[in-house]
Amino acid sequence: ERLSRGGDWSFALGRHIEAGAGFGYYQATVPPVYEAWVNEDGSEIEQDLKLRIMPATALVRWLPRGPGAAFQPYVGGGLGVYFWRYSETGEFLATDESIYSAAYEQSGTSVGPIAVFGLRGLVSPAAMIGVEGRYQWGEGDLSQDFLGEKIDLGGFSILATFGYRF
């Protein structure tokens, strides 16, 4: 199960430079499968791993063809503040190989860089549609309740975009 949404507000800083701020929401839940371990009755060990990231971003884009071109490729970068929450709930395998139920949760705020590239096209003098690739870097600290010390908050996204000039 995955859900992702977001929005940006951008403004021109010159003929070829655009700055913007945005906020997003990403959530994913995955059920891991233990290949070598099952419950005593033969059923799977049930567990859910859930990550939610709400990034607040500040970006600068360079549009080499300018804002009036019918097709506008661009590249850019910026900074993201990632408000995140990670949880593991369900059944777990103890060191003595017994199975127990538990819920572990960690949340935090992290900061990391973002790189963007995209292409958008005008569909009217004020409206445009496009596609954007975005890579964010970031990690969060996990408590000793988890197997690792860090969680990777980075990754690549492909976004469908719609813009309207006021």
PDB file of all heavy atoms in Angstrom, residues 23-47:
ATOM      1  N   PHE A  23       5.256  21.126  -0.147  1.00  0.00           N
ATOM      2  CA  PHE A  23       5.005  20.200   0.953  1.00  0.00           C
ATOM      3  C   PHE A  23       4.415  18.935   0.361  1.00  0.00           C
ATOM      4  O   PHE A  23       3.605  19.002  -0.576  1.00  0.00           O
ATOM      5  CB  PHE A  23       4.041  20.812   1.976  1.00  0.00           C
ATOM      6  CG  PHE A  23       3.973  20.032   3.259  1.00  0.00           C
ATOM      7  CD1 PHE A  23       5.009  20.098   4.173  1.00  0.00           C
ATOM      8  CD2 PHE A  23       2.894  19.218   3.526  1.00  0.00           C
ATOM      9  CE1 PHE A  23       4.956  19.368   5.349  1.00  0.00           C
ATOM     10  CE2 PHE A  23       2.841  18.482   4.694  1.00  0.00           C
ATOM     11  CZ  PHE A  23       3.869  18.563   5.623  1.00  0.00           C
ATOM     12  N   GLY A  24       4.804  17.795   0.877  1.00  0.00           N
ATOM     13  CA  GLY A  24       4.318  16.530   0.346  1.00  0.00           C
ATOM     14  C   GLY A  24       3.954  15.557   1.436  1.00  0.00           C
ATOM     15  O   GLY A  24       4.162  15.802   2.634  1.00  0.00           O
ATOM     16  N   TYR A  25       3.411  14.440   0.992  1.00  0.00           N
ATOM     17  CA  TYR A  25       3.025  13.361   1.906  1.00  0.00           C
ATOM     18  C   TYR A  25       3.286  12.043   1.193  1.00  0.00           C
ATOM     19  O   TYR A  25       2.844  11.846   0.058  1.00  0.00           O
ATOM     20  CB  TYR A  25       1.538  13.472   2.258  1.00  0.00           C
ATOM     21  CG  TYR A  25       1.053  12.394   3.195  1.00  0.00           C
ATOM     22  CD1 TYR A  25       1.110  12.589   4.562  1.00  0.00           C
ATOM     23  CD2 TYR A  25       0.550  11.196   2.714  1.00  0.00           C
ATOM     24  CE1 TYR A  25       0.675  11.604   5.436  1.00  0.00           C
ATOM     25  CE2 TYR A  25       0.115  10.210   3.580  1.00  0.00           C
ATOM     26  CZ  TYR A  25       0.182  10.415   4.937  1.00  0.00           C
ATOM     27  OH  TYR A  25      -0.246   9.440   5.797  1.00  0.00           O
ATOM     28  N   TYR A  26       4.042  11.164   1.836  1.00  0.00           N
ATOM     29  CA  TYR A  26       4.329   9.837   1.289  1.00  0.00           C
ATOM     30  C   TYR A  26       4.138   8.826   2.409  1.00  0.00           C
ATOM     31  O   TYR A  26       4.598   9.041   3.543  1.00  0.00           O
ATOM     32  CB  TYR A  26       5.770   9.760   0.780  1.00  0.00           C
ATOM     33  CG  TYR A  26       6.227   8.356   0.490  1.00  0.00           C
ATOM     34  CD1 TYR A  26       5.938   7.762  -0.730  1.00  0.00           C
ATOM     35  CD2 TYR A  26       6.924   7.610   1.432  1.00  0.00           C
ATOM     36  CE1 TYR A  26       6.335   6.466  -1.000  1.00  0.00           C
ATOM     37  CE2 TYR A  26       7.325   6.321   1.174  1.00  0.00           C
ATOM     38  CZ  TYR A  26       7.026   5.745  -0.037  1.00  0.00           C
ATOM     39  OH  TYR A  26       7.411   4.455  -0.296  1.00  0.00           O
ATOM     40  N   GLN A  27       3.439   7.744   2.096  1.00  0.00           N
ATOM     41  CA  GLN A  27       3.267   6.675   3.077  1.00  0.00           C
ATOM     42  C   GLN A  27       3.271   5.337   2.356  1.00  0.00           C
ATOM     43  O   GLN A  27       2.653   5.191   1.304  1.00  0.00           O
ATOM     44  CB  GLN A  27       1.953   6.847   3.831  1.00  0.00           C
ATOM     45  CG  GLN A  27       1.720   5.768   4.869  1.00  0.00           C
ATOM     46  CD  GLN A  27       0.494   6.049   5.700  1.00  0.00           C
ATOM     47  OE1 GLN A  27       0.444   7.066   6.387  1.00  0.00           O
ATOM     48  NE2 GLN A  27      -0.489   5.185   5.626  1.00  0.00           N
ATOM     49  N   ALA A  28       3.987   4.376   2.917  1.00  0.00           N
ATOM     50  CA  ALA A  28       4.028   3.028   2.351  1.00  0.00           C
ATOM     51  C   ALA A  28       4.031   2.014   3.487  1.00  0.00           C
ATOM     52  O   ALA A  28       4.662   2.228   4.520  1.00  0.00           O
ATOM     53  CB  ALA A  28       5.259   2.830   1.485  1.00  0.00           C
ATOM     54  N   THR A  29       3.307   0.919   3.278  1.00  0.00           N
ATOM     55  CA  THR A  29       3.280  -0.200   4.211  1.00  0.00           C
ATOM     56  C   THR A  29       3.623  -1.455   3.434  1.00  0.00           C
ATOM     57  O   THR A  29       3.044  -1.703   2.373  1.00  0.00           O
ATOM     58  CB  THR A  29       1.882  -0.361   4.858  1.00  0.00           C
ATOM     59  OG1 THR A  29       1.531   0.869   5.498  1.00  0.00           O
ATOM     60  CG2 THR A  29       1.874  -1.484   5.871  1.00  0.00           C
ATOM     61  N   VAL A  30       4.561  -2.229   3.963  1.00  0.00           N
ATOM     62  CA  VAL A  30       4.933  -3.483   3.307  1.00  0.00           C
ATOM     63  C   VAL A  30       4.880  -4.614   4.340  1.00  0.00           C
ATOM     64  O   VAL A  30       5.283  -4.435   5.481  1.00  0.00           O
ATOM     65  CB  VAL A  30       6.331  -3.429   2.653  1.00  0.00           C
ATOM     66  CG1 VAL A  30       6.354  -2.455   1.495  1.00  0.00           C
ATOM     67  CG2 VAL A  30       7.402  -3.084   3.650  1.00  0.00           C
ATOM     68  N   PRO A  31       4.391  -5.787   3.931  1.00  0.00           N
ATOM     69  CA  PRO A  31       4.395  -6.953   4.821  1.00  0.00           C
ATOM     70  C   PRO A  31       5.598  -7.849   4.495  1.00  0.00           C
ATOM     71  O   PRO A  31       5.617  -8.506   3.463  1.00  0.00           O
ATOM     72  CB  PRO A  31       3.086  -7.654   4.468  1.00  0.00           C
ATOM     73  CG  PRO A  31       2.873  -7.319   3.023  1.00  0.00           C
ATOM     74  CD  PRO A  31       3.496  -5.974   2.803  1.00  0.00           C
ATOM     75  N   PRO A  32       6.625  -7.861   5.346  1.00  0.00           N
ATOM     76  CA  PRO A  32       7.776  -8.715   5.053  1.00  0.00           C
ATOM     77  C   PRO A  32       7.417 -10.192   5.212  1.00  0.00           C
ATOM     78  O   PRO A  32       6.475 -10.543   5.915  1.00  0.00           O
ATOM     79  CB  PRO A  32       8.818  -8.284   6.082  1.00  0.00           C
ATOM     80  CG  PRO A  32       8.024  -7.751   7.214  1.00  0.00           C
ATOM     81  CD  PRO A  32       6.791  -7.140   6.592  1.00  0.00           C
ATOM     82  N   VAL A  33       8.194 -11.037   4.559  1.00  0.00           N
ATOM     83  CA  VAL A  33       8.000 -12.489   4.653  1.00  0.00           C
ATOM     84  C   VAL A  33       9.314 -13.105   5.098  1.00  0.00           C
ATOM     85  O   VAL A  33      10.354 -12.867   4.493  1.00  0.00           O
ATOM     86  CB  VAL A  33       7.562 -13.080   3.293  1.00  0.00           C
ATOM     87  CG1 VAL A  33       7.465 -14.588   3.370  1.00  0.00           C
ATOM     88  CG2 VAL A  33       6.247 -12.468   2.847  1.00  0.00           C
ATOM     89  N   TYR A  34       9.240 -13.877   6.170  1.00  0.00           N
ATOM     90  CA  TYR A  34      10.417 -14.612   6.631  1.00  0.00           C
ATOM     91  C   TYR A  34      10.517 -15.895   5.821  1.00  0.00           C
ATOM     92  O   TYR A  34       9.605 -16.716   5.843  1.00  0.00           O
ATOM     93  CB  TYR A  34      10.300 -14.950   8.121  1.00  0.00           C
ATOM     94  CG  TYR A  34      10.467 -13.764   9.034  1.00  0.00           C
ATOM     95  CD1 TYR A  34       9.378 -12.974   9.390  1.00  0.00           C
ATOM     96  CD2 TYR A  34      11.715 -13.435   9.551  1.00  0.00           C
ATOM     97  CE1 TYR A  34       9.528 -11.882  10.233  1.00  0.00           C
ATOM     98  CE2 TYR A  34      11.881 -12.350  10.384  1.00  0.00           C
ATOM     99  CZ  TYR A  34      10.779 -11.587  10.730  1.00  0.00           C
ATOM    100  OH  TYR A  34      10.946 -10.509  11.556  1.00  0.00           O
ATOM    101  N   GLU A  35      11.603 -16.061   5.111  1.00  0.00           N
ATOM    102  CA  GLU A  35      11.762 -17.217   4.241  1.00  0.00           C
ATOM    103  C   GLU A  35      11.975 -18.507   5.037  1.00  0.00           C
ATOM    104  O   GLU A  35      11.436 -19.550   4.687  1.00  0.00           O
ATOM    105  CB  GLU A  35      12.951 -16.991   3.306  1.00  0.00           C
ATOM    106  CG  GLU A  35      13.044 -18.001   2.193  1.00  0.00           C
ATOM    107  CD  GLU A  35      14.129 -17.632   1.200  1.00  0.00           C
ATOM    108  OE1 GLU A  35      14.179 -16.460   0.790  1.00  0.00           O
ATOM    109  OE2 GLU A  35      14.915 -18.522   0.862  1.00  0.00           O
ATOM    110  N   ALA A  36      12.727 -18.445   6.120  1.00  0.00           N
ATOM    111  CA  ALA A  36      13.095 -19.654   6.857  1.00  0.00           C
ATOM    112  C   ALA A  36      12.296 -19.870   8.142  1.00  0.00           C
ATOM    113  O   ALA A  36      12.488 -20.876   8.811  1.00  0.00           O
ATOM    114  CB  ALA A  36      14.584 -19.620   7.178  1.00  0.00           C
ATOM    115  N   TRP A  37      11.422 -18.950   8.514  1.00  0.00           N
ATOM    116  CA  TRP A  37      10.714 -19.057   9.788  1.00  0.00           C
ATOM    117  C   TRP A  37       9.211 -18.922   9.596  1.00  0.00           C
ATOM    118  O   TRP A  37       8.736 -18.077   8.855  1.00  0.00           O
ATOM    119  CB  TRP A  37      11.194 -17.978  10.759  1.00  0.00           C
ATOM    120  CG  TRP A  37      12.668 -18.044  11.003  1.00  0.00           C
ATOM    121  CD1 TRP A  37      13.627 -17.285  10.422  1.00  0.00           C
ATOM    122  CD2 TRP A  37      13.343 -18.936  11.866  1.00  0.00           C
ATOM    123  NE1 TRP A  37      14.863 -17.637  10.868  1.00  0.00           N
ATOM    124  CE2 TRP A  37      14.722 -18.669  11.758  1.00  0.00           C
ATOM    125  CE3 TRP A  37      12.925 -19.957  12.722  1.00  0.00           C
ATOM    126  CZ2 TRP A  37      15.679 -19.357  12.473  1.00  0.00           C
ATOM    127  CZ3 TRP A  37      13.886 -20.637  13.440  1.00  0.00           C
ATOM    128  CH2 TRP A  37      15.247 -20.341  13.310  1.00  0.00           C
ATOM    129  N   VAL A  38       8.444 -19.731  10.337  1.00  0.00           N
ATOM    130  CA  VAL A  38       6.986 -19.662  10.356  1.00  0.00           C
ATOM    131  C   VAL A  38       6.513 -19.907  11.786  1.00  0.00           C
ATOM    132  O   VAL A  38       7.286 -20.350  12.641  1.00  0.00           O
ATOM    133  CB  VAL A  38       6.335 -20.699   9.404  1.00  0.00           C
ATOM    134  CG1 VAL A  38       6.622 -20.367   7.951  1.00  0.00           C
ATOM    135  CG2 VAL A  38       6.750 -22.104   9.749  1.00  0.00           C
ATOM    136  N   ASN A  39       5.235 -19.631  12.052  1.00  0.00           N
ATOM    137  CA  ASN A  39       4.639 -19.937  13.350  1.00  0.00           C
ATOM    138  C   ASN A  39       4.569 -21.453  13.531  1.00  0.00           C
ATOM    139  O   ASN A  39       4.682 -22.220  12.573  1.00  0.00           O
ATOM    140  CB  ASN A  39       3.230 -19.339  13.436  1.00  0.00           C
ATOM    141  CG  ASN A  39       3.260 -17.855  13.706  1.00  0.00           C
ATOM    142  OD1 ASN A  39       3.903 -17.407  14.648  1.00  0.00           O
ATOM    143  ND2 ASN A  39       2.583 -17.080  12.867  1.00  0.00           N
ATOM    144  N   GLU A  40       4.342 -21.884  14.782  1.00  0.00           N
ATOM    145  CA  GLU A  40       4.256 -23.324  15.081  1.00  0.00           C
ATOM    146  C   GLU A  40       3.159 -24.016  14.280  1.00  0.00           C
ATOM    147  O   GLU A  40       3.273 -25.185  13.935  1.00  0.00           O
ATOM    148  CB  GLU A  40       4.034 -23.546  16.575  1.00  0.00           C
ATOM    149  CG  GLU A  40       5.257 -23.262  17.405  1.00  0.00           C
ATOM    150  CD  GLU A  40       5.018 -23.496  18.891  1.00  0.00           C
ATOM    151  OE1 GLU A  40       3.934 -23.988  19.265  1.00  0.00           O
ATOM    152  OE2 GLU A  40       5.916 -23.185  19.677  1.00  0.00           O
ATOM    153  N   ASP A  41       2.074 -23.289  13.962  1.00  0.00           N
ATOM    154  CA  ASP A  41       0.976 -23.891  13.194  1.00  0.00           C
ATOM    155  C   ASP A  41       1.228 -23.845  11.682  1.00  0.00           C
ATOM    156  O   ASP A  41       0.367 -24.202  10.894  1.00  0.00           O
ATOM    157  CB  ASP A  41      -0.347 -23.212  13.535  1.00  0.00           C
ATOM    158  CG  ASP A  41      -0.386 -21.732  13.157  1.00  0.00           C
ATOM    159  OD1 ASP A  41       0.613 -21.214  12.587  1.00  0.00           O
ATOM    160  OD2 ASP A  41      -1.417 -21.088  13.419  1.00  0.00           O
ATOM    161  N   GLY A  42       2.419 -23.367  11.269  1.00  0.00           N
ATOM    162  CA  GLY A  42       2.776 -23.308   9.857  1.00  0.00           C
ATOM    163  C   GLY A  42       2.388 -22.010   9.160  1.00  0.00           C
ATOM    164  O   GLY A  42       2.717 -21.815   7.988  1.00  0.00           O
ATOM    165  N   SER A  43       1.692 -21.121   9.846  1.00  0.00           N
ATOM    166  CA  SER A  43       1.289 -19.847   9.238  1.00  0.00           C
ATOM    167  C   SER A  43       2.471 -18.879   9.192  1.00  0.00           C
ATOM    168  O   SER A  43       3.441 -19.011   9.941  1.00  0.00           O
ATOM    169  CB  SER A  43       0.124 -19.221  10.018  1.00  0.00           C
ATOM    170  OG  SER A  43       0.528 -18.894  11.335  1.00  0.00           O
ATOM    171  N   GLU A  44       2.383 -17.898   8.292  1.00  0.00           N
ATOM    172  CA  GLU A  44       3.434 -16.886   8.156  1.00  0.00           C
ATOM    173  C   GLU A  44       3.518 -16.028   9.414  1.00  0.00           C
ATOM    174  O   GLU A  44       2.521 -15.815  10.104  1.00  0.00           O
ATOM    175  CB  GLU A  44       3.138 -15.971   6.962  1.00  0.00           C
ATOM    176  CG  GLU A  44       3.210 -16.633   5.611  1.00  0.00           C
ATOM    177  CD  GLU A  44       4.632 -16.956   5.183  1.00  0.00           C
ATOM    178  OE1 GLU A  44       5.574 -16.270   5.626  1.00  0.00           O
ATOM    179  OE2 GLU A  44       4.795 -17.910   4.412  1.00  0.00           O
ATOM    180  N   ILE A  45       4.702 -15.531   9.680  1.00  0.00           N
ATOM    181  CA  ILE A  45       4.881 -14.534  10.734  1.00  0.00           C
ATOM    182  C   ILE A  45       4.362 -13.221  10.153  1.00  0.00           C
ATOM    183  O   ILE A  45       4.889 -12.733   9.158  1.00  0.00           O
ATOM    184  CB  ILE A  45       6.364 -14.434  11.139  1.00  0.00           C
ATOM    185  CG1 ILE A  45       6.818 -15.759  11.753  1.00  0.00           C
ATOM    186  CG2 ILE A  45       6.584 -13.274  12.087  1.00  0.00           C
ATOM    187  CD1 ILE A  45       8.300 -15.818  12.057  1.00  0.00           C
ATOM    188  N   GLU A  46       3.301 -12.690  10.751  1.00  0.00           N
ATOM    189  CA  GLU A  46       2.663 -11.482  10.207  1.00  0.00           C
ATOM    190  C   GLU A  46       3.269 -10.231  10.822  1.00  0.00           C
ATOM    191  O   GLU A  46       3.385 -10.119  12.044  1.00  0.00           O
ATOM    192  CB  GLU A  46       1.162 -11.529  10.455  1.00  0.00           C
ATOM    193  CG  GLU A  46       0.491 -12.635   9.661  1.00  0.00           C
ATOM    194  CD  GLU A  46      -1.017 -12.586   9.752  1.00  0.00           C
ATOM    195  OE1 GLU A  46      -1.563 -11.494  10.026  1.00  0.00           O
ATOM    196  OE2 GLU A  46      -1.638 -13.630   9.541  1.00  0.00           O
ATOM    197  N   GLN A  47       3.639  -9.318   9.939  1.00  0.00           N
ATOM    198  CA  GLN A  47       4.302  -8.097  10.365  1.00  0.00           C
ATOM    199  C   GLN A  47       4.050  -7.005   9.325  1.00  0.00           C
ATOM    200  O   GLN A  47       3.933  -7.312   8.144  1.00  0.00           O
ATOM    201  CB  GLN A  47       5.807  -8.392  10.473  1.00  0.00           C
ATOM    202  CG  GLN A  47       6.609  -7.396  11.242  1.00  0.00           C
ATOM    203  CD  GLN A  47       8.054  -7.837  11.310  1.00  0.00           C
ATOM    204  OE1 GLN A  47       8.807  -7.554  10.387  1.00  0.00           O
ATOM    205  NE2 GLN A  47       8.434  -8.531  12.378  1.00  0.00           N
TER     206      GLN A  47
END
